[in-house]
Amino acid sequence: MGGPRFEPVRTVRAYERIVEQVEEAIESGTLCPGQRLPSERDLMGQFSVSRSTVREALRVLQARGLVRSRPGDPHGAEVQPFTPTELRKSMTMLARVDGLSLGELVQFRMVLDSSANLLAARLRTDEQLAEMDTAIAAMRAAVEVGYDEFSTADVAFHDTVAQASGNKLIQICTEVVRSIVLGLIADKIAAAPDRVALMRQSIRHHEEVLAAVRAGDGPLAARLSRRTMYDYYVGYVPTSERPALRALLE
Amino acid sequence: MGGPRFEPVRTVRAYERIVEQVEEAIESGTLCPGQRLPSERDLMGQFSVSRSTVREALRVLQARGLVRSRPGDPHGAEVQPFTPTELRKSMTMLARVDGLSLGELVQFRMVLDSSANLLAARLRTDEQLAEMDTAIAAMRAAVEVGYDEFSTADVAFHDTVAQASGNKLIQICTEVVRSIVLGLIADKIAAAPDRVALMRQSIRHHEEVLAAVRAGDGPLAARLSRRTMYDYYVGYVPTSERPALRALLE
DNA sequence: GCAAATTTGTCCGTATGTATC
DNA sequence: CGATACATACGGACAAATTTG
C-alpha cells in the first residue's frame, strides 16, 4: 500500500490547449468583452499550430459563446459579453434528450419563483415595487388585446421579482426554465378556450402576491406565488404528474 | 401599411448546418447514446463538404458533450449520453466571469436543498430513507478520519435527498452548484481550526432534517435544511452578504 | 505478438466572398 | 472605386493512434 497514485494521462489535443489558454485569459479578466483576438494567421504563429487547429479552437470558443468571428473583419474575433445563451442551450438539450417532463419544469419554476418572492419581500426597493405595479397594469390592459401582450407583461413581472431577489442564479434559471416551458406550451395557452378567465384569475393572484411582497411577508408571498403558478399551468400538466406539483402547495 | 415583413438573413456557416442536423437527430432520438456517427470521410461525402468543415462541426458537437471521437477509432465518433458536464461548465464560467459571489451560490444551494427536502418528505421511499441513514452513519464515522471522507458522505446525503425529490432539475443544479461552492472553499473548510466541532454540529442538524423527512413534515425539513446549510457555510461568507442569507431563515 | 488497414490529428497550399480603409 | 486583409471553404498530404486479422 502507498506510493504515489498516478493519474491516467489523457492525450490532450492541440486545439484544446488553445481553448484552455483563451478561456483562462477571459476568466482571469485579461481578455474583456469587446476586445479582439489576433487574426487567425497571427494566432497560428503565436501558438505554433496550423490554421485548421486555430479554427477548430475558435469554433469551440464560438460554440461556448465566448467569441464571435465574422468573415472579412480586420480586427479579428471579438470577445463576447457573457450571456446565459449556452446555459439555456444545455438545459434545453437536457429537457429534450433526458426527457424532462413539463411537470418537472413547472415544479422547478414554482421553486424558483417562490424563493425569489421570499427574498424579494425583504430586499425589494421601492422602484422595483413600482415596476411590479406597472407590469400588473400592463397585464390588465393586455387581457383584451391578446395573449402575447399578456405573456410579455407576465414575464416582466416575474423578471422584476427575480431581480429583486438579488440572486443572479435565480434570475438566470428563471429565465432559462421559463423559456423552455413557454416553448413547450405557449401555443396551447394561447389556444385555450378559457384563456381570458385564466388571465383574469392570474392577475388577481399576482396582485395578492405583490401585496404580500409589499407588506414584507416573505413566506406568504412564496406560498401565494406557488399557488399562482400551479393554477395557471396545472391544466397543461398530465394528471399523473400533478400530485408532485401539489406537494409544493403544503 | 402592410407588405410582407422580411427577416434579415443571417449567413449560416456550413459547419453550423451539420451541427444542426446532428443535434436534430440526437434530440429526435434517431441517434441514441452509444451509436456511432459515420467516419469523417463518409460525412464529407454525405454533407458534400470538405473534411475541415466536418471537423469543425465535430469539434462543436464534442464541445457540447454530444459526441466523442478518438483517433484511430474505425467506428467513427460515438454519441454520448447526456451529462450535465456542459451545464456545469457554463455555470462555472458564469460564476467566475459574471462575478457570482459565494453568498449567492450558498443562497441558491439553500433554495435547492430546502425545496428538495420539502418534496422528499412527501415522496421519499423507504430505500431512500435507508440511504440517508447510511450517509449520516458514514458522516459520523468520518469525523475522526478526515474532512474528505466527511464531505463525501455529506454529498451522498444531499444527493439522496435531491433524488428523492423526484425532480431532475433539482438534482442537476444541486450537483453543479455544490461542485462550484466546494471548488471555491473546500480548502478553507478542511483547514478550519474548529472543523471537528462544525462536523459534529452538522451531523446533529442532518439527523434533525432526516427525522423531519421521515415524519413527512416537509415544511419543517425545508426550514431545518436551510438552517443546517447556513450554519455550516456562514463562516466563509463575507459579513456583507450574510443578511441576504438570513433572509431565507424566516 | 505483429503487421496491415483504417481513422483521426495536424499541416500546407489555394481559391473565393466579404469587410474595411 | 480599388487595394488590402480577413474569414470561409476546399483538397491534398503525412504522422500518430487504433482496430483487426
Side-chain angles (χ1 to χ4, degrees):
Chain A
M1 177 165 157
R5 292 194 324 201
F6 294 117
E7 302 243 333
V9 284
R10 65 181 181 107
T11 62
V12 59
R13 319 267 188 276
Y15 78 90
E16 286 188 71
R17 311 295 286 265
I18 300 180
V19 170
E20 286 173 11
Q21 288 196 43
V22 176
E23 275 187 340
E24 169 59 29
I26 294 179
E27 284 185 15
S28 69
T30 310
L31 280 172
C32 297
Q35 280 190 307
R36 303 303 187 116
L37 259 52
S39 73
E40 293 184 0
R41 286 171 183 79
D42 287 344
L43 287 175
M44 55 186 284
Q46 293 188 31
F47 289 109
S48 298
V49 294
S50 77
R51 189 87 187 282
S52 322
T53 305
V54 168
R55 285 181 60 78
E56 289 182 22
L58 287 178
R59 291 293 82 80
V60 174
L61 290 168
Q62 182 156 347
R64 296 197 179 145
L66 299 179
V67 306
R68 195 178 56 125
S69 51
R70 297 174 308 164
D73 192 332
H75 303 99
E78 180 179 356
V79 178
Q80 297 294 109
F82 192 91
T83 64
T85 307
E86 269 313 294
L87 207 64
R88 182 183 298 114
K89 277 203 110 162
S90 308
M91 265 201 198
T92 307
M93 200 73 184
L94 181 78
R96 295 193 189 170
V97 177
D98 223 36
L100 284 187
S101 66
L102 180 63
E104 280 178 300
L105 290 163
V106 171
Q107 194 177 46
F108 199 63
R109 280 206 63 185
M110 290 169 72
V111 167
L112 290 172
D113 197 59
S114 68
S115 306
N117 275 286
L118 178 63
L119 290 167
R122 312 213 173 176
L123 307 173
R124 84 287 185 285
T125 66
D126 289 341
E127 285 77 15
Q128 286 162 338
L129 283 177
E131 267 190 71
M132 298 177 202
D133 280 323
T134 306
I136 290 186
M139 289 170 72
R140 215 176 287 120
V143 170
E144 306 297 340
V145 182
Y147 166 71
D148 281 351
E149 287 75 9
F150 180 84
S151 182
T152 302
D154 180 69
V155 164
F157 180 86
H158 290 279
D159 275 348
T160 305
V161 173
Q163 196 178 336
S165 78
N167 190 302
K168 293 202 198 79
L169 274 171
I170 290 180
Q171 287 177 250
I172 292 165
C173 289
T174 292
E175 181 196 333
V176 170
V177 179
R178 181 216 305 134
S179 75
I180 298 175
V181 169
L182 290 184
L184 287 176
I185 57 169
D187 51 344
K188 294 181 188 170
I189 299 179
D194 57 344
R195 70 176 186 283
V196 171
L198 272 174
M199 286 191 269
R200 293 196 189 285
Q201 182 195 48
S202 180
I203 291 174
R204 279 198 309 279
H205 285 176
H206 278 72
E207 288 168 342
E208 293 172 13
V209 171
L210 177 51
V213 170
R214 196 187 304 273
D217 190 341
L220 177 62
R223 191 160 55 245
L224 289 174
S225 76
R226 286 194 290 268
R227 168 65 67 178
T228 300
M229 198 162 289
Y230 177 83
D231 287 339
Y232 194 65
Y233 286 111
V234 67
Y236 311 101
V237 175
T239 49
S240 62
E241 293 192 311
R242 294 180 188 176
L245 251 55
R246 278 194 291 272
L248 282 177
L249 296 181
E250 61 205 78
Chain B
M1 172 169 159
R5 290 198 323 202
F6 294 116
E7 300 250 334
V9 284
R10 66 180 181 108
T11 62
V12 60
R13 316 270 190 274
Y15 80 90
E16 286 188 71
R17 311 296 287 265
I18 300 179
V19 170
E20 286 173 11
Q21 288 196 45
V22 177
E23 275 187 339
E24 168 60 28
I26 294 178
E27 285 184 13
S28 69
T30 310
L31 280 172
C32 297
Q35 282 190 309
R36 303 303 188 118
L37 260 51
S39 72
E40 293 182 2
R41 285 175 180 76
D42 286 345
L43 287 174
M44 57 185 283
Q46 293 188 32
F47 289 110
S48 297
V49 295
S50 75
R51 196 152 88 96
S52 319
T53 305
V54 168
R55 285 182 59 78
E56 289 181 21
L58 287 178
R59 291 295 79 80
V60 173
L61 290 168
Q62 182 156 351
R64 295 196 180 148
L66 299 179
V67 307
R68 194 179 56 128
S69 51
R70 296 175 310 165
D73 192 333
H75 303 99
E78 180 178 357
V79 178
Q80 297 294 109
F82 192 91
T83 63
T85 308
E86 269 313 293
L87 207 65
R88 182 183 297 115
K89 277 203 102 158
S90 309
M91 266 201 199
T92 307
M93 199 74 184
L94 182 77
R96 295 194 189 171
V97 177
D98 224 35
L100 285 186
S101 65
L102 180 62
E104 280 178 299
L105 290 163
V106 171
Q107 194 177 46
F108 200 62
R109 280 205 64 185
M110 290 170 72
V111 166
L112 290 171
D113 197 59
S114 68
S115 305
N117 274 286
L118 178 64
L119 290 167
R122 312 213 174 176
L123 307 173
R124 85 287 185 285
T125 65
D126 289 342
E127 287 76 14
Q128 286 161 340
L129 283 177
E131 267 190 72
M132 297 177 204
D133 280 323
T134 306
I136 289 186
M139 288 170 72
R140 214 176 287 119
V143 170
E144 304 298 338
V145 182
Y147 167 71
D148 281 351
E149 286 75 8
F150 180 84
S151 182
T152 302
D154 179 69
V155 164
F157 180 86
H158 290 279
D159 275 347
T160 306
V161 173
Q163 197 178 336
S165 79
N167 190 301
K168 292 203 198 80
L169 273 172
I170 290 180
Q171 287 177 250
I172 291 164
C173 289
T174 291
E175 182 195 333
V176 169
V177 179
R178 180 216 305 135
S179 74
I180 298 175
V181 170
L182 290 183
L184 287 176
I185 57 169
D187 50 344
K188 294 181 188 171
I189 298 179
D194 57 343
R195 69 177 187 283
V196 171
L198 271 175
M199 285 191 269
R200 293 197 189 284
Q201 182 193 49
S202 181
I203 291 173
R204 280 198 309 278
H205 286 176
H206 279 71
E207 287 168 342
E208 292 172 13
V209 170
L210 177 52
V213 170
R214 198 187 303 272
D217 190 340
L220 177 62
R223 191 162 55 247
L224 289 174
S225 77
R226 286 194 291 268
R227 167 64 68 177
T228 299
M229 197 162 290
Y230 176 84
D231 287 339
Y232 193 65
Y233 285 110
V234 67
Y236 312 100
V237 174
T239 50
S240 62
E241 294 191 310
R242 294 180 188 176
L245 251 55
R246 280 194 290 270
L248 281 177
L249 296 181
E250 60 205 81

